[in-house]
Amino acid sequence: MQVHWPLVISTACQRAGLGLLLCVVFANAVLGSQLPSNIACLVALTLLCAGGIASVFHLQRPSRFFNAFSNPKSHLTQEGFIAPFLGVALIAAGLNGIAFNAGAASAGLLCIAAVLALAFLVCTGLAYQMKSRPAWSTKLVFALFLLTAVAAGFMGANALALLEGDEAANKILACGLTATIAAAAVQTAYVSRMKHVGYGVAYDAMKQPYRPYALGWVALTVAALILAASCIAVPSAMLACVAWALYIISVALWTALFFKGAHKVR
C-alpha cells in the first residue's frame, strides 16, 4: 500500500495531542500533579487542527470528504461526527482561565473534552481494524493506536510537568516510560505477526522497502526512551521536549510502516 504522508501526519498529530490531554487529566486526578489542563487542551487543539489540515491534503477532492460521512456505522464516519464537538470542547476548556472563568463548570468542560478525545481515539483505532486487509485484521491494531497515544501523551505531560516544576514529574515519567515500552512490545508483536500473516501479503519489516521505516521507528523510540529516562537524573524540560518530539516522529514512521505493509489479499 502506498504511504500517504498527510494521513500519517494526521494520525500522529491526533494521537500526540489528544493523548497529552488525557494523560494530563489522569496525572492531575491520580498522580497528584497540578498541570495546567487548559494549556494541554490548547496544545491538543493545535495538533488536532494540524492533523485535520493534513487530512484535507490526503482526501484531495471535496467529494471524498463528504463520502466519509456516508455510513453512520463506520468508525471513520463516527470519528468525523465527533471531531467538531471535540474541537468546540477543546476551545472552551482551553480558553477557560485565559479568556474567561467557568468557575464550578470548569471540571465539567474538561471532562467533556476528555471523553470526546477518548471517543475520537477509540474510533480511529477501530477504523483501521478491518478484515479487508489481512495486516489490519487483528486487535493489535486497536491496541497500537491507543498505546502510542498514551505513550506520546505521557511523554508530553512529562515535558509540561518539568516546565511547570511539578513535583509529580517523576511519577508521570514512570508512566510514560512504561507506556512507551508497552507500545513498543505490541508494535514488535505486530511486526512479527506480519512475517506469517499469509494470504500472499506477508512481509519482513527488516527488508526493503520497509526497512527504512522500521529502523527509523526503532532508533527514534530508543532515543526518546534514553532522553526521557535521563530526566530522572537530570530534570530538564528541554530534554523532555526533545524526547516527546522524537517519539512523535517515531510514531509517524511506525504509522508509515503500518500503511506500507497493508496489502490487499492477492
Side-chain angles (χ1 to χ4, degrees):
M1 180 178 175
Q2 182 181 356
V3 177
H4 294 270
W5 284 104
L7 184 58
V8 169
I9 294 170
S10 175
T11 58
C13 285
Q14 290 163 359
R15 278 176 279 173
L18 300 181
L20 172 65
L21 169 60
L22 291 173
C23 290
V24 165
V25 170
F26 176 86
N28 287 349
V30 178
L31 302 181
S33 63
Q34 296 181 351
L35 301 179
S37 56
N38 57 349
I39 299 300
C41 285
L42 292 177
V43 172
L45 176 65
T46 301
L47 289 172
L48 184 66
C49 289
I53 293 171
S55 293
V56 172
F57 287 98
H58 166 65
L59 294 172
Q60 295 180 339
R61 295 196 302 269
S63 59
R64 289 184 176 180
F65 174 81
F66 292 108
N67 286 340
F69 292 87
S70 61
N71 182 10
K73 293 183 179 180
S74 165
H75 294 297
L76 185 61
T77 299
Q78 294 164 5
E79 178 189 279
F81 280 128
I82 291 171
F85 296 101
L86 173 58
V88 172
L90 289 174
I91 291 173
L95 293 180
N96 182 30
I98 298 176
F100 64 91
N101 190 339
S106 296
L109 285 176
L110 183 60
C111 183
I112 292 172
V115 169
L116 289 174
L118 179 59
F120 187 96
L121 289 173
V122 167
C123 287
T124 301
L126 292 175
Y128 289 104
Q129 187 176 295
M130 56 179 68
K131 295 182 179 180
S132 61
R133 295 184 184 273
W136 296 351
S137 184
T138 169
K139 293 182 180 179
L140 288 175
V141 171
F142 178 68
L144 283 167
F145 272 82
L146 285 190
L147 279 174
T148 50
V150 171
F154 274 120
M155 285 281 192
N158 176 55
L160 183 57
L162 289 173
L163 283 169
E164 293 288 318
D166 197 289
E167 294 181 357
N170 281 343
K171 294 180 182 179
I172 295 172
L173 176 57
C175 290
L177 295 175
T178 302
T180 303
I181 292 171
V186 177
Q187 287 170 314
T188 302
Y190 179 90
V191 169
S192 177
R193 172 183 176 274
M194 288 314 304
K195 293 180 181 179
H196 315 287
V197 74
Y199 302 100
V201 297
Y203 69 89
D204 186 341
M206 287 296 110
K207 294 182 179 179
Q208 295 293 351
Y210 313 101
R211 184 179 175 85
Y213 305 108
L215 290 180
W217 153 58
V218 172
L220 291 180
T221 298
V222 171
L225 279 169
I226 292 174
L227 284 178
S230 69
C231 292
I232 297 174
V234 184
S236 168
M238 181 177 293
L239 281 179
C241 287
V242 172
W244 185 38
L246 289 179
Y247 187 70
I248 294 173
I249 298 172
S250 81
V251 169
L253 288 174
W254 161 259
T255 305
L257 174 63
F258 176 79
F259 286 122
K260 188 71 174 176
H263 305 291
K264 291 184 177 180
V265 177
R266 295 175 183 174

